[in-house]
Amino acid sequence: MSGTTLEQFSYDNKIVKYFGVATIAWGIVGMLVGVLAATQLFLPEANLGNPYTTFGRIRPLHTNAVIFAFVGNAIFAGVYYSMPRLLKTPMFSKALSWFHFWGWQLIILLAAVTLPLGLTSSKEYAELEWPIDILIAIVWVAFGANMIGALIKRREKHMYVAIWFYLASFVTVAVLHIFNSLALPVSFFKSYSAYAGVQDALVQWWYGHNAVAFFLTTPFLGLMYYYLPKAANRPVYSYKLSIIHFWSLIFLYIWAGPHHLLYTALPEWAQILGVVFSIMLIAPSWGGMVNGLLTLRGAWDKVRVDPVLKFMVVAVTAYGMATFEGPLLSLKNVNAIAHYTDWIVAHVHIGGLGWNGFFTFAMLYWLWPKMWKTDLFSTKLATTHFWLGTIGILFYALPMYVAALTQSLMWKEFSDAGRLVYPNFLETVVQIVPMYMLRAFGGVLYLSGVFLMVYNMFKTAKQGTFVPEEADEAPALLPHTEEKGEFWHRAWERKPIFFTGLATVAILIGGIIEIVPTILVKSNVPTISSVQPYTPLELQGRDLYISHGCVGCHSQMIRPFRSETERFGEYSKAGEFVYDRPFLWGSKRTGPDLHRVGGKYPDSWHYHHMVDPSSMSPGSLMPPYPWLATNIMAHEDVPAKIRTLQKLGVPYPENYDQQANADLELQADQIVKSLQSAGVEVMPQAEIVALIAYLQRLGTDIKKTAATNP
């Protein structure tokens, strides 16, 4: 490099520190909420007797806190440290970096306030209402602009593999978030999804599956490709394997969402596509795992003594296990056993606690001494954290597998006489309570290790000196001249905009092929003439059901299995959900399916069951909701809801918004009279009246069809 002028610049460590501290702080909050939610499943008193801390409301708070606050801030810390060093340039704009940081923390705070208040869209991993969705899009675009700006002014000719994953993650999350969040607002914190029923389910799980793929997986693979070789002081095992595994992963992943909807009312062709591409995903997923583990060749002696490498090895192994288990669960015969059980919960947490959690810990343990120019305060404490976390994962996951198999087999067991051996759903729940206790204990162990890390990081920082701006120098990037015989992918790596465009095409193909026909081809959702829009009171009750997070414990999708039709009633049809915005099929049955509960019990049963579940179901673990009987529900927003749904195509009569409240009052009065006849006094405006109206409607459209077609 004789005669080359070196340019001086510096890396911003301060933004990395802030994102790192936010990672730890929100991680503790999210995990504490998770331990509380785990405890509530065997101890109803842990719901704390108010609407804001019930399981239905804090479960989405837990998932949002650990995914977007803990893991999200970890991604940003890792990217803001690694990307400038890989490109030999600072991030494009410090102002964008800090806008990104404070904007993201504001989003998390808004989630922490709105979710316990019941302001939710009910979509898994996308529960936040439309104003927050817009803010997420703005902040995410700022993050992407900062990355692309840095790429344009880089001093390195080629983009390293980690940056491929960062770019693909940025583009795909933007596409997923925008299309899944399309909704029509009713008010500032209420909206209805642009999609209904089957279409909403497909779009949601196209998003839900790929949020896991492109928020919890691909960014961390990028981090793995930077931090694992750094920690091991070894080069990446195979450059060509990284190419194959990157392109095949981002192309295949986007197709796999329908495997969350097997045996449901989703068209069979979409289910088959989901299964086929899920099976193919094993290859690129394990390509990443193999590339990571083989990078440690010749460095396994370090794993014995270095806690950073210990965390990384278990993280990459957990990634391999989770990405083997995912395709396994997409097989229809396995899915028939596992879906709606705790197996899915265990699967998610192997990835979340093992892959995301452990890799985040490893990265922070590696970063802190680097930024404070010192050694880690205590290797022993970090090793203790590793073992507490590992044992915590085992205590979490293994009982969940036992619980899942136990409950699923109990659901499906018939006697010699051809009757269900366990017809009462509650019997199958009570049986697995000890497993729920062990799961909560595992969570406590995992969290206790995080507290050790906080102390270790604090002491590490205290003994060192923080370097807010780390100086470096490199020659300017010269104008490119074509190199004869240059490897095709190396040429792509010089063109960040072109590369990003190719990645965008790769991820769009699967989504377009699966979603567009489901929306445009009417035969995918056969209509049922007896299915009518919800009455105004039923609509209010449904929104209340959504607000309280009831979908977190109750499904509304009866699969075509004898064990389910014997227990719950006729299997669910696609045409029954055409007015469901959002769909409420659920993904876990802590309580029974409710799709055919309409007319099964009298109004008074629902009243007593909500106020004191154990009075109707002795031994029930469901928390009581006594406030529903006394809280008055304001119905002033009903006309606006009717008008919004009409714009979305729901066939209410013209000007029905002017008549809606009168119809609502008539139906409420009928329910009040029914309750009075059973000795229950309640106001017509009470929340429980609207909820009863909704529950009594569920599944009755099919019964009307049967009645008119004997």
Side-chain angles (χ1 to χ4, degrees), residues 209-447:
H209 177 79
N210 291 300
V212 172
F214 289 90
F215 200 87
L216 300 177
T217 304
T218 53
F220 270 73
L221 286 168
L223 298 177
M224 179 194 80
Y225 274 112
Y226 180 81
Y227 291 97
L228 181 58
K230 284 284 188 182
N233 197 25
R234 291 287 187 278
V236 170
Y237 171 67
S238 171
Y239 166 67
K240 289 188 177 178
L241 179 57
S242 68
I243 295 171
I244 296 167
H245 123 77
F246 169 77
W247 288 106
S248 56
L249 190 77
I250 68 167
F251 174 74
L252 294 175
Y253 234 130
I254 212 82
W255 295 76
H259 76 214
H260 292 264
L261 300 168
L262 301 183
Y263 291 111
T264 68
L266 188 73
E268 183 72 13
W269 64 266
Q271 296 185 39
I272 291 169
L273 275 179
V275 172
V276 169
F277 280 88
S278 297
I279 300 302
M280 288 195 284
L281 262 175
I282 293 177
S285 298
W286 275 43
M289 179 191 70
V290 167
N291 222 6
L293 292 179
L294 291 183
T295 296
L296 290 169
R297 68 201 187 287
W300 284 97
D301 56 312
K302 294 182 181 179
V303 177
R304 290 201 307 271
V305 294
D306 186 350
V308 170
L309 289 178
K310 280 186 171 71
F311 277 110
M312 287 183 173
V313 166
V314 172
V316 176
T317 305
Y319 168 67
M321 291 167 63
T323 53
F324 172 77
E325 188 178 39
L328 178 70
L329 288 168
S330 73
L331 295 171
K332 294 190 85 170
N333 53 352
V334 178
N335 189 275
I337 297 168
H339 197 53
Y340 292 129
T341 74
D342 289 296
W343 190 338
I344 310 304
V345 181
H347 167 62
V348 168
H349 283 79
I350 289 288
L353 299 174
W355 168 232
N356 299 116
F358 266 34
F359 203 91
T360 296
F361 302 149
M363 183 181 77
L364 292 173
Y365 278 129
W366 187 86
L367 278 174
W368 242 238
K370 291 280 185 295
M371 292 195 298
W372 269 267
K373 298 301 178 188
T374 185
D375 295 324
L376 185 65
F377 171 71
S378 172
T379 300
K380 284 186 178 179
L381 275 179
T383 302
T384 305
H385 175 197
F386 167 79
W387 287 112
L388 280 171
T390 302
I391 296 168
I393 292 170
L394 293 174
F395 267 101
Y396 189 107
L398 294 179
M400 289 297 91
Y401 289 124
V402 173
L405 291 171
T406 300
Q407 191 172 35
S408 186
L409 293 174
M410 290 178 77
W411 288 346
K412 295 176 180 295
E413 188 168 356
F414 283 85
S415 67
D416 292 339
R419 297 180 181 274
L420 288 168
V421 175
Y422 305 101
N424 183 353
F425 189 91
L426 185 57
E427 291 179 277
T428 73
V429 178
V430 172
Q431 190 70 32
I432 59 177
V433 165
M435 300 299 106
Y436 285 163
M437 293 177 177
L438 286 172
R439 182 257 295 272
F441 174 67
V444 170
L445 283 179
Y446 192 91
L447 179 57

Side-chain angles (χ1 to χ4, degrees), residues 528-531 700-710:
I528 300 172
S529 59
S530 62
V531 175
T700 56
D701 291 319
I702 287 292
K703 292 176 186 176
K704 289 175 189 173
T705 304
T708 55
N709 298 285

Side-chain angles (χ1 to χ4, degrees), residues 657-707:
D657 58 312
Q658 299 168 25
Q659 174 66 28
N661 271 334
D663 288 355
L664 181 151
E665 289 168 9
L666 282 174
Q667 188 176 6
D669 287 339
Q670 290 173 357
I671 293 172
V672 167
K673 288 175 183 175
S674 168
L675 291 171
Q676 284 175 340
S677 68
V680 176
E681 293 292 334
V682 67
M683 295 285 288
Q685 300 85 6
E687 290 181 336
I688 201 161
V689 173
L691 186 60
I692 289 171
Y694 173 60
L695 292 172
Q696 293 290 38
R697 170 67 185 274
L698 288 175
T700 56
D701 291 319
I702 287 292
K703 292 176 186 176
K704 289 175 189 173
T705 304

